Amino acid sequence: MAEVIIKDVRKVFDGNVVAVTDMNLTVEDREFVVLVGPSGCGKSTLLRMVAGLEDVTEGEIFIDGRLVNDVPPKDRDIAMVFQNYALYPHMSVYENMAFGLRLRKYPKDEIDQRVRDAADILGIEKLLDRRPKALSGGQRQRVAVGRAIVRKPRVFLFDEPLSNLDAKLRVQMRTEISKLHERLNATMIYVTHDQVEAMTMGTRIMVMKDGLSQQVADPLTIYHVPVNQFVAGFIGSPAMNFIEGTLKNESGAFSFESRELSARLPDSIAERILKDSSGDVVLGVRPEDIYETGPAARLESSASISVHVEVVEPMGNEIFLYVSLGGNDMVARIDVRTPPTVNSDIDLVVDLTSAHLFDRETGVSLLLGDQGQAR
């Protein structure tokens, strides 16, 4: 397989539309990196530049140490799986998977062996004689992946391959692609707007916004130590809750003050706050860090809030409460057998030991990371 290096890459379309800028990323050999972000953030454009389907305006892209800016897609030794499968409707599954190898003049016996090996890996041996119209969406996606596998490329590129599948199939194919990465020990770059896919599949994630990289890290670091308010709000389902207020620093003792919530921050948070931080901030709280009053007795440091229940979503093992706190809409994930009723007023408790703080103007995190580095 191969290492992919993206160095100072920029992409500008006609009309001075900047799609990607100041992009730097190294995908290690045999690594699975996921590019995630909202629609229009530039993630698919970046992937297409790696594939050679889009020209690079500025910067350099290396695959296995080779500069590929001017190398045609067919000579980059990559394979790409698209959102729409891109199968030939008049060809059988076998012919679709073999087509690229035939163009490259591989021996017939080797083509047959590669196709059947890939079909075995993906569990589609019995579908080889069918045409795409006779396949389900999940089966078509397996064929598209199989067509990539037979190439034995240095790098696999996936451009939102699961977005056309239903929820159950997405979960199933998500697992299959993760298993495939382990089995092939391959270098993979995967694009999605679905943060659940990113969290469950990638060894590392790059979160993008407006053509810029916001943070690159492993999934748990992205989740627990976001560098800014955008990353914190984008990663996590339901999304993180935000409350605007003021951070006060009195001789190293920090407190958060707003109309809805007033509390002294625990030492575990205070010792991570950047020196001299104070003023207008945004407090971030994950839905799972909001509790009903009974279990809150176990918390080391907490603050009570009185909220109005607007929507109740029973999820089986937990309940999502959509509530209002003053002018803030919030979500809580709680574990109770008897949920509150809609339009009721209840008391909840916020676990402050897991809170996040962001500068209100810049959105940058005011907390130090696990290694004592500013995030």
Side-chain angles (χ1 to χ4, degrees):
M1 296 301 162
E3 177 186 64
V4 178
I5 298 175
I6 298 167
K7 185 177 180 182
D8 299 325
V9 165
R10 189 167 185 261
K11 175 64 179 179
V12 182
F13 288 106
D14 293 340
N16 292 322
V17 177
V18 179
V20 175
T21 187
D22 297 329
M23 189 58 61
N24 288 277
L25 176 69
T26 297
V27 181
E28 303 291 347
D29 185 29
R30 307 175 193 274
E31 190 177 19
F32 193 143
V33 170
V34 178
L35 313 182
V36 65
S39 297
C41 71
K43 55 190 184 295
S44 289
T45 300
L46 180 60
L47 193 78
R48 290 173 63 84
M49 285 192 285
V50 174
L53 302 177
E54 294 284 356
D55 294 331
V56 176
T57 304
E58 295 177 15
E60 298 172 318
I61 296 177
F62 297 86
I63 298 177
D64 198 21
R66 177 191 183 195
L67 179 64
V68 297
N69 285 40
D70 299 319
V71 176
K74 65 183 181 65
D75 297 327
R76 295 193 181 197
D77 203 5
I78 57 95
M80 192 161 180
V81 180
F82 296 92
Q83 176 180 343
N84 61 359
Y85 318 134
L87 301 178
Y88 297 106
H90 63 288
M91 293 183 181
S92 68
V93 167
Y94 184 101
E95 291 167 337
N96 266 283
M97 293 172 65
F99 184 72
L101 300 180
R102 286 174 175 162
L103 286 180
R104 289 169 175 78
K105 310 294 186 182
Y106 278 83
K108 185 175 180 180
D109 289 346
E110 183 176 354
I111 292 175
D112 186 72
Q113 187 63 51
R114 287 196 184 194
V115 170
R116 295 189 184 280
D117 287 347
D120 178 64
I121 289 172
L122 295 166
I124 56 174
E125 310 97 312
K126 297 180 180 180
L127 306 178
L128 291 177
D129 294 330
R130 296 188 189 179
R131 291 191 177 181
K133 66 180 180 180
L135 305 178
S136 67
Q139 290 169 336
R140 292 179 191 178
Q141 194 55 273
R142 280 186 170 86
V143 175
V145 173
R147 185 176 53 191
I149 292 174
V150 299
R151 292 270 312 281
K152 296 184 178 179
R154 291 183 180 276
V155 180
F156 287 86
L157 306 176
F158 295 86
D159 190 7
E160 304 210 39
L162 309 184
S163 59
N164 287 336
L165 304 180
D166 62 43
K168 184 177 180 180
L169 268 178
R170 278 203 305 273
V171 173
Q172 183 179 348
M173 284 301 300
R174 200 167 71 204
T175 303
E176 292 299 324
I177 292 175
S178 295
K179 288 180 179 178
L180 187 65
H181 174 250
E182 293 297 325
R183 184 164 180 173
L184 298 180
N185 216 3
T187 303
M188 294 184 174
I189 306 176
Y190 187 103
V191 161
T192 181
H193 64 273
D194 186 334
Q195 52 90 21
V196 175
E197 281 183 26
M199 289 291 292
T200 55
M201 297 176 72
T203 52
R204 280 194 304 152
I205 299 171
M206 180 167 74
V207 182
M208 294 180 62
K209 177 189 178 188
D210 298 333
L212 292 166
S213 172
Q214 302 294 306
Q215 185 172 4
V216 182
D218 64 90
L220 290 181
T221 298
I222 292 278
Y223 189 81
H224 293 294
V225 196
V227 298
N228 59 38
Q229 189 176 344
F230 173 78
V231 174
F234 190 81
I235 298 295
S237 181
M240 182 182 288
N241 300 296
F242 297 115
I243 304 172
E244 293 186 353
T246 303
L247 180 66
K248 295 185 176 180
N249 181 358
E250 298 179 359
S251 303
F254 289 91
S255 61
F256 176 80
E257 304 287 342
S258 72
R259 290 182 303 170
E260 303 85 6
L261 176 64
S262 177
R264 183 182 183 277
L265 298 178
D267 293 341
S268 58
I269 291 294
E271 64 190 15
R272 295 178 56 204
I273 298 176
L274 296 173
K275 291 181 180 180
D276 302 324
S277 294
S278 61
D280 294 338
V281 299
V282 176
L283 179 75
V285 181
R286 295 269 181 209
E288 63 267 28
D289 294 324
I290 301 176
Y291 296 80
E292 59 275 25
T293 53
R298 303 189 302 264
L299 299 178
E300 174 188 341
S301 178
S302 60
S304 296
I305 54 176
S306 296
V307 300
H308 181 75
V309 179
E310 297 184 335
V311 177
V312 177
E313 288 187 350
M315 306 298 291
N317 63 330
E318 60 188 359
I319 295 170
F320 292 173
L321 292 183
Y322 293 82
V323 303
S324 61
L325 174 67
N328 296 285
D329 293 327
M330 300 180 65
V331 186
R333 287 171 57 177
I334 64 174
D335 180 17
V336 293
R337 294 186 179 275
T338 305
T341 58
V342 174
N343 288 327
S344 63
D345 294 315
I346 63 171
D347 292 329
L348 295 173
V349 176
V350 176
D351 181 3
L352 293 176
T353 60
S354 301
H356 298 261
L357 286 170
F358 306 96
D359 184 279
R360 194 189 299 186
E361 182 176 350
T362 65
V364 173
S365 175
L366 298 177
L367 300 184
L368 295 170
D370 292 336
Q371 306 301 319
Q373 302 292 322
R375 306 305 292 190

